[in-house]
Amino acid sequence: YNFVEHVGIVIPLTLIAGLSAPCLATAAGFGYAIGRFMYTTGYIAKGPKGRELGSLVSNGSFLVLNALSLFTAFKFLRGTIL
């Protein structure tokens, strides 16, 4: 997958997740950026096999951001946030 394609999704997810869990959302957003950096440098250094760790880190962070955003949406719908 392409960084440019996902960054347009990651930024809003981080902002939405930050409404209910700002520290965790910041950590997950930072983890995503670090994972993408690891993905890129691993691919440059070792070829296709070198991107596995970076992919795990960035995809894990992306999953956390999705879960937090969903949690925030449920809190918003219940009226317990904002």
Side-chain angles (χ1 to χ4, degrees):
Y1 60 93
N2 193 344
F3 174 72
V4 175
E5 293 169 351
H6 277 128
V7 78
I9 299 167
V10 169
I11 292 172
L13 285 175
T14 304
L15 293 173
I16 292 167
L19 293 173
S20 63
C23 292
L24 191 53
T26 302
F30 188 67
Y32 179 81
I34 293 296
R36 288 305 303 179
F37 179 76
M38 292 168 60
Y39 181 93
T40 301
T41 55
Y43 186 71
I44 291 169
K46 300 176 186 171
K49 284 287 190 185
R51 53 189 181 170
E52 291 174 351
L53 181 60
S55 181
L56 286 172
V57 172
S58 64
N59 286 334
S61 298
F62 187 68
L63 182 65
V64 169
L65 287 172
N66 276 298
L68 282 173
S69 294
L70 189 61
F71 175 71
T72 302
F74 283 129
K75 285 181 73 172
F76 180 75
L77 290 173
R78 290 182 57 202
T80 59
I81 192 169
L82 299 177

